[in-house]
Amino acid sequence: MKWLARLIAPGSISDEQAMEDGRADGNSAAFALLVSRWEMPIRRLCMRMTGDAHRAEDLAQETFARVFARRSSFENGRKFSTWVWRIAINLCLEEGRRRRLAEKFQLQIAAAPTADQSGRDSTPHQQASEGERAGMVQQALAALPETQRAVVVLREFQGLKFREIAQVLEIPEGTAKSRMADALVELGRMLAPLRDECDEPAARAAESDTQRIVI
């Protein structure tokens, strides 16, 4: 009945509490709550790491399968978010090694305009230019080594702090910052032709796009 009382106000249940309930008695409702909270963030992470929306969906499902299978190993005091990010990242890295396509991944970034940034006032030429710039940025990200890409994705798209990234990837915080710095240099090198070829307004927009990703 403890879970029923919590279910009335699911927002008050922490991920760790839900994991504890699911681990204690195999509570399917507790596990369903975790899936509902984390399915889309994990799917987006997998898509940005693999560049394949369909494979990302499979990897997200495998992530939660592993969470459920390993629920008994979840330790008290551990942060659930760190644990689930790590499982998903490891699955993506395993997938990359299996398929030997790390250098060819076409990273699909959820860069569609939001309702207040829909571009409905822009011209077709402007939209085409923006799409071309976004494509070049995507290709540059996809060309990064997996270790650097993982840091960029966790930092810029999932909003994790370097301390949290270090916990997820099980590396020193300094290493996470170093990989981010190396990724910044490499992205700047790969996107240099874009800055050279754009006219001044487009160049400013391209630079803004790059800074949004890597800063």
Side-chain angles (χ1 to χ4, degrees), residues 2 13 20-21 23 30 34 36 65 73 81 84 92 95 109 116 118 135 140 171 174 180 187 190 208-210 212:
K2 175 180 65 174
I13 305 169
E20 181 182 353
D21 288 341
R23 182 183 60 179
L34 289 170
S36 70
S73 66
S81 60
V84 73
C92 291
E95 174 73 2
I109 301 173
D116 58 344
S118 62
I171 58 176
M180 187 68 183
L187 286 170
M190 289 188 287
S208 176
D209 288 345
T210 305
R212 178 180 59 80

Side-chain angles (χ1 to χ4, degrees), residues 3 6-7 9-15 17-19 21 27-39 64 80:
W3 175 256
R6 290 178 176 176
L7 194 60
S12 65
I13 305 169
S14 70
D15 294 330
Q17 286 174 326
M19 195 65 194
D21 288 341
N27 192 308
S28 59
F31 187 71
L33 178 61
L34 289 170
V35 173
S36 70
R37 286 178 177 175
W38 284 93
E39 182 178 14
F64 291 109
F80 178 79

Side-chain angles (χ1 to χ4, degrees), residues 90-107:
N90 286 341
L91 279 170
C92 291
L93 296 179
E94 290 171 13
E95 174 73 2
R97 287 190 291 267
R98 234 178 357 252
R99 298 172 63 183
R100 298 177 178 271
L101 292 176
E103 73 280 3
K104 298 180 181 178
F105 282 165
Q106 295 300 311
L107 194 63

Side-chain angles (χ1 to χ4, degrees), residues 49 89 93 145-155 169:
M49 286 296 296
I89 284 285
L93 296 179
E146 285 182 326
T147 53
Q148 293 180 10
R149 190 189 317 149
V151 174
V152 172
V153 170
L154 290 171
R155 172 71 173 173
L169 300 179

